[in-house]
Amino acid sequence: MIRTPQAFVPYLLALAMIAAGILWRAAPLEPRLGGIQSEGIAAIGGPFSLVDQNGTRRRAGDFRGRFLLVYFGYSFCPDVCPTALAAMADALDKLPKAQRIVPVFVTVDPERDSPRVLKAYLNAFGPRFVGLTGDVKSVAAAARAYRVFYRKHPLAGGGYAMDHSSVIYLMGPDGRYLAHYDASIGSDALANALRKQL
Ligand code: NI
């Protein structure tokens, strides 16, 4: 029988898929992080495009040259978020080089956390914080980049809370991940940890 060239297409496709599979396995899974961190967590962070509490668009690149202390949460959070934000604010108050660090609060509840809501909320934690929100997709992309989990949690009496991971990330002036801290670390321990990184 005579095979038309089209008859080979499925075989070529199968070969290409096998080759791609081999290359994918051979490639390093994550870019090297320069040996800065030791927990084996790779490639945390990355580009984002969100809006701050003053309505200004902010991208990851806008912060190059400064350390970022990043926490994801939401302003309606009853306890975990305020504790984390207070620890971040207090830790920075203890550091003489605090102006090198920008504390950033990224909401996981963009439907309620408008720039205006974030502005009022963050006032309670001093003037340093940058609050970030955006459309649902942009917030999801930022959370994904930081490996942050969150989920809407309906409340019995109506409304909802957000379940969310509670981790404080320290990013370097080059935008790369340096360290992370459990949000229950407390301000003294956080200040000491940050002092070693500056
Ligand atoms: Ni919270």
Side-chain angles (χ1 to χ4, degrees):
M1 87 188 231
I2 296 162
R3 291 192 169 196
T4 60
Q6 285 84 349
F8 290 99
V9 165
Y11 299 101
L12 289 173
L13 268 177
L15 276 174
M17 284 169 75
I18 291 164
I22 291 166
L23 285 173
W24 180 77
R25 281 190 186 81
L29 284 178
E30 304 287 0
R32 297 272 172 260
L33 289 175
I36 296 164
Q37 53 82 39
S38 56
E39 289 93 347
I41 292 175
I44 284 179
F48 60 75
S49 178
L50 296 166
V51 177
D52 72 14
Q53 70 265 48
N54 298 310
T56 306
R57 178 140 312 262
R58 307 294 287 264
R59 294 177 178 83
D62 301 343
F63 297 95
R64 289 296 133 79
R66 299 184 78 188
F67 292 85
L68 292 189
L69 203 55
V70 184
Y71 184 77
F72 286 74
Y74 69 115
S75 74
F76 290 83
C77 184
D79 46 23
V80 177
C81 290
T83 306
L85 294 178
M88 290 164 71
D90 291 349
L92 293 182
D93 284 343
K94 295 172 205 273
L95 288 176
K97 294 181 188 166
Q99 75 286 351
R100 298 182 63 195
I101 304 181
V102 183
V104 178
F105 179 66
V106 187
T107 185
V108 294
D109 186 13
E111 291 167 53
R112 289 188 293 194
D113 281 341
S114 64
R116 215 159 60 123
V117 169
L118 281 183
K119 188 166 188 160
Y121 179 66
L122 290 172
N123 271 342
F125 302 98
R128 301 184 209 266
F129 274 90
V130 172
L132 296 178
T133 185
D135 57 62
V136 169
K137 262 175 89 172
S138 305
V139 166
R144 211 161 37 238
Y146 279 82
R147 314 273 177 96
V148 166
F149 158 86
Y150 63 98
R151 174 175 65 190
K152 211 179 255 190
H153 172 135
L155 295 174
Y160 63 91
M162 300 297 289
D163 299 331
H164 65 95
S165 32
S166 189
V167 177
I168 299 168
Y169 293 102
L170 179 66
M171 311 300 289
D174 57 359
R176 287 189 188 197
Y177 165 86
L178 285 179
H180 70 276
Y181 313 101
D182 190 282
S184 62
I185 183 171
S187 61
D188 286 325
L190 182 57
N192 287 336
L194 294 175
R195 197 172 284 121
K196 287 177 199 154
Q197 297 280 357
L198 293 178

